[in-house]
Amino acid sequence: MSAATVLSVNVGLPKNVEWNGKTVFTGIWKQPVDGPVMVRRLNLDGDGQGDKGGHGGEQRAVMVYQIDSYRHWEKHFGRDDFVYGQFGENLTIDGLPDDEVCIGDRYRIGGAELEVTQPRVTCYRVGLRMGEPELPALLVSHHRPGFYCRVIAEGPVQAGDPIEKVSTGPGALSVADTDALLYLPHKDRAKLQVAVQIPALSPGWLGSFQDLLAEEERPKPAWDGFRKLRVTAVVPETTNVFSVRLATIDGSELPAALPGQYLTFRLPDAVRSYSLSSTPDYRVSVKREPHGVGSSYMTQLAAGAVVDVAAPRGDFVLQNGSTPVVLLSAGIGLTPVLAMLHALAGSSREVWWIHTARGPSEHPLASEAHELLAKMPNGHERIYYSSVDGRLTEEKLAELALPADATAYLCGPEAFMTDMQAALAAVGVTRVHTELFGALAAINPGLVNQTARTPHQPDGPPGDGPQVTFARSGISTAMRDGSLLDLADACDVPTRWSCRTGVCQTCVTPLLSGEVSYSPTPLEPPPDGQALLCCARPTTDLVLDM
């Protein structure tokens, strides 16, 4: 590797930038600094990031980009207006190409020592800064992402400093190969196994690679789209909760569902998802909502009715093992954890069943849970009625002396979930799985001045395109111009994040029915039965699991 040198040190504080009708708080604008700049554990002096979820912090304290890539993009875009810091990097350097630098390599630059932790996060902000919206995807496909470093030793760095390699990272996995391993198709399992063994790899990328390895073992949905199932019984549980049991039309055995998963129903005027409340049979328990389209239809069902149902889905499932289990729920949130309780019946595992409701009359399936727990040699049951005992609090949870090695499964309203996650952490239970009824909370880092709204029909005139249904959010509307992500934004349907270029896979959602096309074409198309929101356009009516 030829000698490398720092050409420029660049910093910049975050600012608000208008983009696509939204305000983005971003630190992508960096400017060169004369003289030495202190490189510290979390940042350079005078530098900052707007999205701390994807940029900055200990693992991404310093962003590095090469002048050779500047020249490449000048030629590609036919531009000659680039200045140092143009790509949002802290250090513009001569040398250290992405296909030679490896994760875990360490370098001494001026008075600082840096360790390479991951490639650049290819989010839309670099395209925003450059005025080239497809640049994030191009950074990957052209194998020129640049890389982040953590700071091993703090010290001053300035333009002209030589870059000395101190040590080589284990595994010899280059930055370019690491980037391609996450974002491009045809994953190399051997390289994935190397990647997860590199200590310097940042936790976020490590988790992504672990998920990719686990994907092969993850069960696929038992059937595509919707199939018809027959209602065998509708059973009232309380004055406001009823259960619906299902079977196949021909009497054949239903595919096994994992305890904690849910079913999605395509009803005449709505699409709704309900958790399975028992295993191995298919039973959903539904709370009547005064103006709920889904529950109003479901309550009118009778034995013999036929409904369209998608295969069981969801990652909130009981994990195998022998350690203690805490099943903690509120209200109708007991349904998925009750399915877990059924699966644990006869087990010798220590099981804690903790439930809170307003009162006995609003506590569905109470006797069923009690009977299951009575058959468990290590079962514990604690019920809290808020009308009698007050709210379940951290102090009350602490009185139970829950085992610290337990795995907790938590389900209920958002406020309850927030309080109980904090309470579990306070009493030493750190392995917590959660399920929030309805759509997942949005993760749209960097967007500011956004008023939170519940999902709704889009403002303005209706669209004239295919009908799009967001199943978990309960919104059905006609498609307008733009992508599925644009429509979700217009409906305030929570999305989990997107680079908006077809690069990242975190905005993939199950496609229950229908078909989509993509513009631009994603670098790695999603698997069958999935839709990549950021660049998907529906070609037929469709139903998404959002």
Side-chain angles (χ1 to χ4, degrees):
M1 187 181 295
S2 59
T5 307
V6 175
L7 300 178
S8 178
V9 179
N10 316 298
V11 300
L13 295 176
K15 62 181 180 179
N16 288 334
V17 178
E18 296 302 315
W19 172 77
N20 281 3
K22 297 184 181 295
T23 302
V24 180
F25 188 56
T26 176
I28 191 70
W29 270 262
K30 310 291 186 189
Q31 294 82 35
V33 178
D34 294 329
V37 178
M38 277 298 296
V39 175
R40 303 191 187 277
R41 185 177 68 87
L42 298 181
N43 226 327
L44 281 71
D45 281 356
D47 195 42
Q49 293 79 32
D51 164 24
K52 296 297 182 67
H55 307 277
E58 183 175 357
Q59 302 296 325
R60 300 173 296 237
V62 182
M63 174 66 206
V64 179
Y65 207 55
Q66 308 90 346
I67 193 65
D68 182 60
S69 289
Y70 268 69
R71 296 172 182 136
H72 174 85
W73 297 119
E74 285 173 343
K75 182 177 180 180
H76 179 85
F77 291 117
R79 292 174 56 173
D80 60 1
D81 59 338
F82 293 168
V83 295
Y84 291 145
Q86 186 86 32
F87 293 82
E89 78 277 8
N90 298 117
L91 303 181
T92 313
I93 64 170
D94 188 4
L96 303 188
D98 290 335
D99 59 358
E100 294 183 16
V101 173
C102 295
I103 305 299
D105 285 357
R106 290 190 177 186
Y107 296 94
R108 183 172 294 112
I109 308 176
E113 184 176 329
L114 309 181
E115 181 179 62
V116 179
T117 58
Q118 66 172 72
R120 173 201 297 271
V121 178
T122 48
C123 80
Y124 69 92
R125 290 171 184 79
V126 67
L128 168 65
R129 169 68 178 90
M130 293 286 294
E132 305 286 353
E134 293 194 17
L135 182 59
L138 295 174
L139 289 171
V140 176
S141 61
H142 288 227
H143 305 289
R144 293 178 178 274
F147 54 88
Y148 279 110
C149 299
R150 72 184 183 102
V151 178
I152 303 300
E154 296 181 343
V157 173
Q158 62 182 325
D161 281 342
I163 302 174
E164 175 190 356
K165 189 173 185 180
V166 175
S167 62
T168 299
L173 189 66
S174 74
V175 168
D177 281 349
T178 304
D179 198 54
L181 198 57
L182 183 64
Y183 291 131
L184 293 180
H186 313 303
K187 312 297 186 191
D188 185 325
R189 184 175 178 84
K191 285 186 177 180
L192 283 170
Q193 291 171 328
V194 168
V196 298
Q197 299 299 319
I198 300 176
L201 185 66
S202 68
W205 282 65
L206 173 62
S208 295
F209 290 143
Q210 289 172 332
D211 287 345
L212 286 170
L213 284 170
E215 186 69 32
E216 298 175 10
E217 304 172 4
R218 193 168 295 161
K220 305 299 181 186
W223 63 84
D224 295 330
F226 292 89
R227 67 179 288 187
K228 295 188 181 301
L229 297 181
R230 187 179 303 280
V231 175
T232 60
V234 178
V235 180
E237 306 291 358
T238 65
T239 56
N240 66 346
V241 174
F242 59 95
S243 293
V244 178
R245 292 186 179 274
L246 303 164
T248 59
I249 298 293
D250 60 6
S252 59
E253 187 174 351
L254 282 164
L258 298 176
Q261 290 188 310
Y262 58 85
L263 298 178
T264 299
F265 293 76
R266 183 166 57 190
L267 308 175
D269 298 310
V271 176
R272 292 292 185 270
S273 297
Y274 300 106
S275 294
L276 288 160
S277 57
S278 64
T279 57
D281 58 320
Y282 282 21
R283 181 187 70 180
V284 296
S285 299
V286 181
K287 181 180 179 182
R288 289 185 178 89
E289 300 292 348
H291 305 290
V293 174
S295 64
S296 295
Y297 180 85
M298 295 287 282
T299 194
Q300 298 174 30
L301 294 175
V306 175
V307 288
D308 290 335
V309 185
R313 282 177 166 80
D315 297 324
F316 180 69
V317 296
L318 180 68
Q319 305 295 311
N320 294 325
S322 58
T323 55
V325 174
V326 174
L327 304 176
L328 177 55
S329 59
I332 196 62
L334 65 76
T335 52
V337 292
L338 182 60
M340 296 179 187
L341 192 64
H342 274 277
L344 289 164
S347 169
S348 61
R349 293 176 74 173
E350 183 178 359
V351 177
W352 287 80
W353 175 262
I354 305 169
H355 181 71
T356 180
R358 288 191 181 91
S361 64
E362 298 182 65
H363 183 180
L365 303 159
S367 59
E368 182 176 314
H370 182 75
E371 290 172 7
L372 289 169
L373 286 157
K375 298 175 183 178
M376 297 182 181
N378 296 305
H380 307 271
E381 183 178 20
R382 298 291 186 274
I383 306 299
Y384 298 88
Y385 294 131
S386 58
S387 60
V388 178
D389 309 303
R391 294 179 58 199
L392 180 58
T393 62
E394 178 185 320
E395 291 73 23
K396 292 176 182 177
L397 209 62
E399 293 172 358
L400 302 180
L402 298 174
D405 61 339
T407 300
Y409 298 86
L410 176 62
C411 186
E414 185 172 7
F416 169 81
M417 300 264 287
T418 300
D419 291 345
M420 290 300 101
Q421 281 183 276
L424 287 167
V427 301
V429 178
T430 58
R431 289 187 291 274
V432 180
H433 300 271
T434 61
E435 174 83 331
L436 176 67
F437 277 5
L440 293 169
I443 297 179
N444 293 302
L447 296 184
V448 298
N449 300 328
Q450 306 298 308
T451 302
R453 299 176 65 186
T454 57
H456 57 86
Q457 290 292 323
D459 298 329
D464 57 2
Q467 193 78 3
V468 177
T469 301
F470 301 106
R472 303 215 84 193
S473 297
I475 296 296
S476 185
T477 187
M479 187 66 192
R480 308 194 297 191
D481 290 339
S483 68
L484 286 173
L485 183 63
D486 294 324
L487 183 62
D489 283 347
C491 297
D492 283 301
V493 169
T495 53
R496 299 296 290 176
W497 181 233
S498 167
C499 58
R500 300 172 183 264
T501 59
V503 173
C504 78
Q505 297 294 304
T506 54
C507 55
V508 170
T509 189
L511 177 62
L512 303 186
S513 66
E515 296 180 355
V516 298
S517 63
Y518 292 99
S519 178
T521 302
L523 296 175
E524 181 174 11
D528 291 343
Q530 303 279 316
L532 184 62
L533 296 178
C534 54
C535 51
R537 274 76 174 167
T539 55
T540 63
D541 291 354
L542 75 165
V543 179
L544 301 165
D545 185 31
M546 295 176 64

